[in-house]
Amino acid sequence: MALATRTGRRPSTTRTLWDSTVGKKSVMAVSGAIMLGYLAAHMFGNLKIFFGPGDFNGYAHWLRGMGAPLLHHEWALWMVRVVLIAAVIAHGVSAYQLSRRDIKARPVKYAHKRRRASYATRTMRWGGIILALFIVWHLLDLTTLTVNERAWAGHPYENVLATFSTWYGNTIYIVAMVAVGLHVRHGFWSAAQTLGAGNARRDRTLKFLANALALVLFAGFVSVPVAVMTGVVS
């Protein structure tokens, strides 16, 4: 109201939607769906490592040549990166602002914690921080090769083996994938509610899908370091 009085104009529909709790939750749901789609595609790409260095390196090189000859080298890949970065930022900003709004609305902590809150629900905040830190590490490890001591530029298969041949590489990755599973489990459920897909009849199905999706993603991603540690992939 103050903004409308000062400028003589009413806030735009987009601004009004963004300022609302429902709007921020919708942004979180849509940006989360984009990241979930990326995670699924990334997981399937990672599984190509089980078919040997030829297939895995070929897939990695194909990513950089997507869209050719219409698009130049890495153009399509950078388009994907820009969309993903925008989704991550929108998701993080929305989550932070909703968290701050929730704290302001309830400045006094509950005398008793709600027992019905799931472990994933209670750990969404620190889970998001873990994932943000992991993204930075993952990029430095397998994209820029900055922290991968035995990295070999142009050889993704060998670089993955180098990463998962170290105890810290495996530990960081597996802990992050636990956070991914918990985040997806709760996030899928929350997004369904926000977008109006949830109701009393669908609740059981949605919970099953959330659990199944989180488990599949966790198992798919973790299978790679486990395979390297056990010698299945070498």
Side-chain angles (χ1 to χ4, degrees), residues 151-193:
W152 187 6
H155 295 77
Y157 181 91
E158 289 75 10
N159 295 338
V160 170
L161 263 61
T163 290
F164 296 135
S165 294
T166 63
W167 68 266
Y168 56 86
N170 289 316
T171 301
I172 291 171
Y173 194 85
I174 291 174
V175 168
M177 292 309 105
V178 170
V180 165
L182 292 173
H183 216 77
V184 168
R185 178 175 176 267
H186 178 72
F188 182 88
W189 169 257
S190 297
Q193 304 305 311

Side-chain angles (χ1 to χ4, degrees), residues 15 49 60-61 78 108 111 137 161 177 202 226 229:
R15 179 58 185 272
I49 201 166
H61 294 315
W78 273 106
V108 180
W137 165 267
L161 263 61
M177 292 309 105
R202 297 176 188 161
V226 170
M229 283 189 287

Side-chain angles (χ1 to χ4, degrees), residues 56-160:
F56 189 77
N57 287 339
Y59 164 70
H61 294 315
W62 171 82
L63 286 176
R64 288 165 171 72
M66 283 189 303
L70 177 63
L71 300 177
H72 286 292
H73 187 66
E74 291 195 357
W75 277 21
L77 183 59
W78 273 106
M79 290 177 187
V80 172
R81 285 170 175 168
V82 168
V83 171
L84 189 60
I85 290 171
V88 169
I89 292 174
H91 199 78
V93 170
S94 299
Y96 174 76
Q97 292 183 352
L98 284 170
S99 177
R100 296 301 301 172
R101 183 171 294 183
D102 186 54
I103 292 172
K104 287 181 180 180
R106 295 180 300 198
V108 180
K109 293 183 178 180
Y110 290 114
H112 302 285
K113 293 183 178 180
R114 290 176 293 177
R115 295 182 180 179
R116 295 182 63 184
S118 68
Y119 183 77
T121 302
R122 295 194 303 269
T123 56
M124 284 293 281
R125 289 189 181 94
W126 66 255
I129 294 172
I130 287 176
L131 292 178
L133 293 174
F134 171 72
I135 289 171
V136 174
W137 165 267
H138 199 49
L139 291 173
L140 292 174
D141 184 28
L142 292 174
T143 299
T144 66
L145 308 180
T146 305
V147 298
N148 197 332
E149 296 178 354
R150 292 181 289 175
W152 187 6
H155 295 77
Y157 181 91
E158 289 75 10
N159 295 338
V160 170

